[in-house]
Every structure is written in C-alpha cells, then in structure tokens.
Amino acid sequence: FVPRPTARSRLQWTTRATASCRLLSSTEGPNRDDLPTPIYHHIDLYNENSYTDDVETVLGRVDGFMRLLEQQEAWPLLHESKIRDRIHSQHTRDCEAASLNLAPESPVLRDQQCSTRYEWIFSGTKSYPLAAQSLEPILNTTAISTIREAAEAHWENPAFCTSRFTYQRPGNYEAHVTDLGERVRSIVNETLTTRIYPLIRDVFWNDPTCSLAPVDQLCVYDALYIRYNSTQAKLLDHIGAGQPLHRDLGLISINIRLNNDFEGGGTFFENQLLDRKESDLEPGITPLTPLERGHVLLHKSSERHAGASTVDGVRDILVFFVSGVSCETGSGSGSTVPMPIQSAIAKQSRGYCDDCYSNNPLRAIFCRIAHQRYAVRVAPSDGEAWQYLGTAFMEYDTYLAVMKASAGLRGAVLQTATRCLQLATRLTPCDSRVWNNLALTLNRQWKLKSDASLLNTTEMAFATAHQLLKMSREKCDVEGELDNVNVNYGLFLSNQDRFMEAGCILEGTALKKIIDQDCGKAVEDAYELWKFCRQQQ
Ligand SMILES: O=C(O)CCC(=O)C(=O)O
Ligand SMILES: [Fe+2]
C-alpha cells in the first residue's frame, strides 16, 4: 500500500506546534478596549493591477539575493527549468493515477450545455466572489442512499482501519470514493461527466464573475466521503467535529451535501471575514452549505477554508478535488500544468529541499527560496506564495543570526521578507498567519534598528492576527493558531513593560494550563509569561 498524497495542504506555520488541551476557564477573551483597532482594508484582493509594480521591485530584490548566494557559495544556478520539470512530472503522475480511478472530462462533451442552475455567493463590501452554489440537486436521493450505505459498509469492515482510512480529527471519518465499490464509482463517474464538469466550466470559465486561465481537460485528483460525527467529537472534549483552516490542492473544490439532520457545520471561508471588524456582531458569519441534500458548493481550491464544527448530529458530505491539464500555447506540444497547480506544488518544497540538502542548511533555505520565488512568478496574485517567500527569507535571517552575520546584511534580508509579507497582506488580508509572520519580522527589524515606527506597525500586525482569529474561532477550531499569536503578541507587549495589556492577551491561552500536565509549548509559555506579567503589575 502506497499512501496517497494528501489533497489538502496545511503547511508552514512558522511558529510553534500546538497541542489541544481542555479549557480550564471560560473561553471569553480579554477586554481589549485599550488596544489599537487593526486595519485590513481589502483593496488589492479586488484589484489585481494595483500591486504589479511592487511585484517587480520585490522580485528584483529576491533575485539579487539569489545571485549573491550563488556567487558567494559557488553553487550552481538552481534553474527554474529543473523546478518546472519536477512539478510537471509530479502533476503528470497525479493526473494519470487520478484518471485510472475516476473519469476525466471528455473532450467530446467539453462544450456541452450545462443544465444546472447556480448562483455566486459574494463577500465583503466590494462583492468578492467566494463560492458558487447550485440551485438544484446534482445527485438524487436514490444515488445518495446508495453512496451512504456503501460508506457505512466500508467503515464497518474491520480491514479499513489498516488500509486507507484516515482518522484525522476526533469524530471524523473519511473514505476514498474509489474504495466504495463499482456501483458508487459508476454513479460518481456519471455525475462528474454529465453534471459536475459542465457546471465547473460554466461557473469558472464561462462566467465573467470569476474567470480562470484556460484549462483543457479537468480531472479528479481525489474524491472523499466525509462524515463528521459530533457526538464522538464531544466525547473527546471538542466543541464539535470539523477540520482546521487549510487550502485544498488542485484547481476547484466541490462539496456535495448528503444530509440535513445536523446543527452547525458547513464550510467556513477565511474570506468571509473580509471588511469585518470584531465589533460587527450582526449579522453573524454563517459557514456555507449547499442549499439542500444533493446540492453542491463550488470554490477555488486556493480559497482558505475550514470544516466548521458540527455541534449536533452527523454531517455527511462528498468532496472532489478537481485538477486539470492545459495544452501548451505557442511553441511545443503536449500538456502542461495550470499555473495555480504549479504554484501549489512549488510551495510544498520543504520536504524536497530538506531531503536534498540535509547536510547544508543554508543550501536548503536557498532551495526553498528558489521554489517560493517560482511559485510567485507563476502565480503573482497568490498571497500564500508571497507569504511563504517571506517566511523563507525569515529563515534565512534566522540562519544569519546564528552565524552572527552583519546587521546590514540581516537588515536587507528582513526588509525583503517584510516586502513579501506586506504584499501577502494585500492579497490574503484575512490570513492570520501572514499578519503574525509580518509582526515577527518587523519585530526582528526593530531589534536590529530601534526605529519607533516599527513598533507601531508590529503591534498593528499582531492585533490584526489576533482579531481575525477571535472572529474565526466562533466557527472553526483555530485554538492552536490563536495560542501561538497570543504568546508572540504577549511577549512583544511585555518586552515593552506593558504587563497589564500582555496579561490580557495571554490570559485566554494561559488558562488552558492544567497543573502537572504538559499542555504543549504555546500553553506552557503563555502560562509562565502570564504569571510573570501578573507579578509585575
Ligand atoms: O466540511 C467542509 O465543508 C469542508 C471539507 C473540506 O474542506 C475538505 O474536506 O477539504
Ligand atoms: Fe478542503
């Protein structure tokens, strides 16, 4: 058995790993009236042209560092063609494996009329197109019952525990659709060919609301039956069954609703927070669910999202991760990889670079910078690619600090990281990770050069990360991310002797500490720092 690649990426959280701990006190946040109001205006997310100048300037800086490293260390050039070839062969492997399992789009049927009506769902004051939902079912009740029974039979078979079963989180069950037998496979293939591919074409290629770059043939990279069992999740002290924030791999994600008898649940998108402030209590954010049983929700796989907590009953869904190939334009022939997929694969370079250069940490960092630069080159509007390029430069700075490099060189590296992260905040303004990373970078710059304006921007960035997570936690499990931000933010405030404010920020995390138990690094650190801040007050 060869494990399949996971279709979801949850990578590159630069700060601590977390453990979940039982809450000792209420989850009420501290009173933060005395803290600045974060700003995250979402100008650039709506206007792809407004950052192009910056893109070239920042890439110029990145290229400068790459040349410098190549000369200083006498390393061979890391040709983009090598990265591209690797991405191409990985994608070809994935697509070939996928097409053996589920039907790819048929070139003959490609231009058929779509018979499924749908509507777009928008977010923010400028109507950012977030997802689309069908206005009629694409699976009938008989098909749903057949698929559901097959999934239940699959989970009852003791053999599945040792095969491809993934039990990612408490209360969650997953089954690959291709493991559910011939009957299910033929229902799914029929639905893909006659309903799903044509609907995707209409929503993402024939509708000016959100028109993607051309793709010649769609295919399914992975398809899962997912069950969220709230009772089991609650038995294990979780508020419900869900999934953390993540992006899916591929181009388009498809989510089909299979039942109605549950509370909570749905897909929470971080861009549902666009233009919202913590004080905007009404109307609350409602995670998205397809309108009815058998209906479908469609979104770009690059929209960061979570499975919102199902708090009562069982929620069943089918998810499809849809990928594709494009024919090369201009010279040459053969198939090539759509840009968002190239970017997604290039972003996952950590394992590859660490393996290739396990005995040379600087070269591993250089390899990562080259991959992340490739990702922003092919997808310059992908905020996460800019974020990861920024965090690769942060790691370069960490290396330089250990090597006691000059403040001048470190300052230039951190400046480049900051520019990348600032671009990322404009493209993915609701991603709390990017604000946390920006704050950490600015803070390091301040330590090198005590410029007071850096303190203000650092604080604003921490406050934004904190606020985004406080708004998200109502809907999905972001406790680990919030704990990390609280520790970083609390440390920042306490370093300025602002012990009262630091105590307020740290409290939510510190109170998760259970005496005589290891509650994970973030909670332990928060607890120690919180006690210290209380003594100073
Ligand atoms: O629960 C949901 O609606 C989200 C599912 C999801 O994001 C996934 O399986 O990748
Ligand atoms: Fe997902």
Side-chain angles (χ1 to χ4, degrees):
F1 159 63
V2 183
R4 296 186 194 194
T6 163
R8 308 182 186 102
S9 62
R10 291 171 195 132
L11 291 176
Q12 300 233 7
W13 179 246
T14 59
T15 45
R16 304 163 182 80
T18 53
S20 55
C21 274
R22 191 201 310 255
L23 287 174
L24 275 183
S25 75
S26 83
T27 52
E28 262 319 282
N31 175 0
R32 295 186 45 255
D33 287 348
D34 44 347
L35 292 169
T37 308
I39 33 151
Y40 46 105
H41 298 304
H42 313 113
I43 305 145
D44 298 309
L45 184 61
Y46 304 105
N47 179 4
E48 292 215 351
N49 296 325
S50 64
Y51 58 91
T52 40
D53 290 349
D54 278 0
V55 166
E56 288 314 317
T57 322
V58 181
L59 279 180
R61 291 184 73 114
V62 172
D63 289 348
F65 277 108
M66 299 212 34
R67 275 195 301 275
L68 183 81
L69 279 162
E70 272 158 1
Q71 280 161 14
Q72 271 181 358
E73 311 287 333
W75 288 334
L77 271 166
L78 227 168
H79 281 295
E80 287 207 340
S81 60
K82 200 175 155 198
I83 299 178
R84 190 172 28 244
D85 288 350
R86 201 171 61 80
I87 290 171
H88 195 278
S89 53
Q90 180 174 332
H91 181 68
T92 308
R93 266 199 317 274
D94 290 348
C95 277
E96 279 168 8
S99 302
L100 287 178
N101 289 321
L102 290 172
E105 187 181 27
S106 149
V108 184
L109 299 176
R110 218 198 100 164
D111 297 320
Q112 72 183 326
Q113 284 288 309
C114 166
S115 54
T116 312
R117 289 174 306 120
Y118 69 90
E119 67 184 11
W120 272 96
I121 300 164
F122 298 94
S123 173
T125 50
K126 292 191 193 151
S127 299
Y128 172 76
L130 191 61
Q133 64 187 1
S134 71
L135 298 172
E136 50 197 297
I138 60 161
L139 273 183
N140 62 33
T141 42
T142 323
I144 293 174
S145 303
T146 307
I147 300 172
R148 244 186 146 178
E149 281 158 23
E152 279 166 0
H154 176 76
W155 290 320
E156 268 161 28
N157 179 355
F160 88 96
C161 291
T162 51
S163 66
R164 294 190 187 127
F165 175 62
T166 44
Y167 188 88
Q168 292 185 318
R169 317 221 349 136
N172 292 13
Y173 289 76
E174 287 186 6
H176 289 278
V177 164
T178 47
D179 291 339
L180 299 182
E182 267 318 305
R183 178 95 191 87
V184 169
R185 190 200 297 254
S186 86
I187 293 173
V188 165
N189 278 340
E190 163 84 10
T191 311
L192 276 170
T193 313
T194 60
R195 310 300 295 257
I196 297 180
Y197 292 137
L199 178 60
I200 293 178
R201 285 284 171 197
D202 259 16
V203 173
F204 295 100
W205 278 277
N206 302 334
D207 184 334
T209 307
C210 171
S211 206
L212 300 182
V215 165
D216 285 285
Q217 189 186 26
L218 301 169
C219 61
V220 173
Y221 171 72
D222 201 0
L224 299 170
Y225 188 112
I226 301 178
R227 166 164 292 181
Y228 298 103
N229 184 325
S230 68
T231 315
Q232 287 186 4
K234 284 193 206 156
L235 280 175
L236 291 158
D237 276 341
H238 285 250
I239 51 164
Q243 283 190 55
L245 282 166
H246 64 277
R247 286 181 174 206
D248 300 324
L249 291 179
L251 280 176
I252 306 296
S253 300
I254 299 292
N255 186 316
I256 305 174
R257 176 176 185 148
L258 299 178
N259 69 321
N260 289 329
D261 38 350
F262 59 87
E263 295 285 331
T267 316
F268 169 73
F269 292 87
E270 81 182 0
N271 277 333
Q272 288 186 274
L273 301 174
L274 274 175
D275 307 317
R276 292 184 73 96
K277 289 196 284 305
E278 210 178 328
S279 50
D280 293 347
L281 291 176
E282 290 295 332
I285 296 168
T286 312
L288 305 183
T289 36
L291 288 169
E292 256 304 325
R293 229 155 81 95
H295 285 229
V296 60
L297 185 76
L298 310 92
H299 61 89
K300 286 190 282 177
S301 301
S302 59
E303 279 300 338
R304 198 157 171 258
H305 61 282
S309 303
T310 300
V311 293
D312 199 14
V314 160
R315 171 174 173 243
D316 283 358
I317 55 171
L318 270 184
V319 287
F320 293 87
F321 306 105
V322 177
S323 187
V325 285
S326 336
C327 286
E328 234 157 19
T329 47
S331 63
S333 59
S335 68
T336 187
V337 188
M339 295 308 180
I341 295 181
Q342 292 206 40
S343 164
I345 298 176
K347 279 187 285 182
Q348 293 191 310
S349 63
R350 180 176 289 275
Y352 170 78
C353 293
D354 287 354
D355 283 353
C356 286
Y357 305 109
S358 54
N359 53 359
N360 188 338
L362 182 55
R363 211 159 165 189
I365 293 169
F366 178 63
C367 168
R368 275 210 293 283
I369 291 177
H371 277 82
Q372 304 306 351
R373 186 190 65 158
Y374 184 88
V376 301
R377 273 245 177 264
V378 296
S381 59
D382 181 349
E384 192 179 63
W386 283 104
Q387 179 182 178
Y388 290 1
L389 184 57
T391 54
F393 270 90
M394 285 172 76
E395 289 178 46
Y396 182 21
D397 173 65
T398 307
Y399 174 88
L400 291 173
V402 172
M403 293 299 167
K404 307 227 179 319
S406 72
L409 177 57
R410 285 194 56 201
V413 168
L414 286 171
Q415 181 68 29
T416 308
T418 304
R419 294 289 297 270
C420 293
L421 292 164
Q422 278 168 339
L423 264 171
T425 61
R426 289 159 61 182
L427 294 162
T428 46
C430 301
D431 184 339
S432 66
R433 300 171 305 169
V434 69
W435 291 103
N436 179 54
N437 285 322
L438 177 62
L440 293 171
T441 308
L442 291 167
N443 197 224
R444 281 195 208 176
Q445 270 179 288
W446 180 78
K447 284 179 186 157
L448 286 178
K449 185 168 70 110
S450 306
D451 172 350
S453 72
L454 286 170
L455 278 187
N456 290 337
T457 38
T458 307
E459 181 158 357
M460 202 66 89
F462 272 136
T464 306
H466 182 87
Q467 188 182 78
L468 285 167
L469 289 167
K470 292 252 326 251
M471 290 191 287
S472 310
R473 85 190 297 205
E474 308 296 326
K475 300 297 165 197
C476 64
D477 179 2
V478 289
E479 288 307 303
E481 294 189 25
L482 184 58
D483 290 340
N484 280 323
V485 169
N486 286 349
V487 174
N488 296 333
Y489 191 7
L491 190 60
F492 167 79
L493 292 169
S494 63
N495 279 337
Q496 297 168 62
D497 296 342
R498 293 162 66 184
F499 298 112
M500 196 104 121
E501 291 157 82
C504 284
I505 292 293
L506 289 161
E507 194 168 59
T509 301
L511 291 178
K512 292 181 189 175
K513 169 68 184 163
I514 300 169
I515 304 298
D516 295 333
Q517 255 186 44
D518 181 358
C519 291
K521 184 151 174 44
V523 172
E524 298 294 334
D525 287 354
Y527 181 63
E528 291 306 320
L529 190 56
W530 176 70
K531 277 195 305 190
F532 174 79
C533 290
R534 289 225 308 193
Q535 284 158 13
Q536 306 303 311
Q537 283 166 30

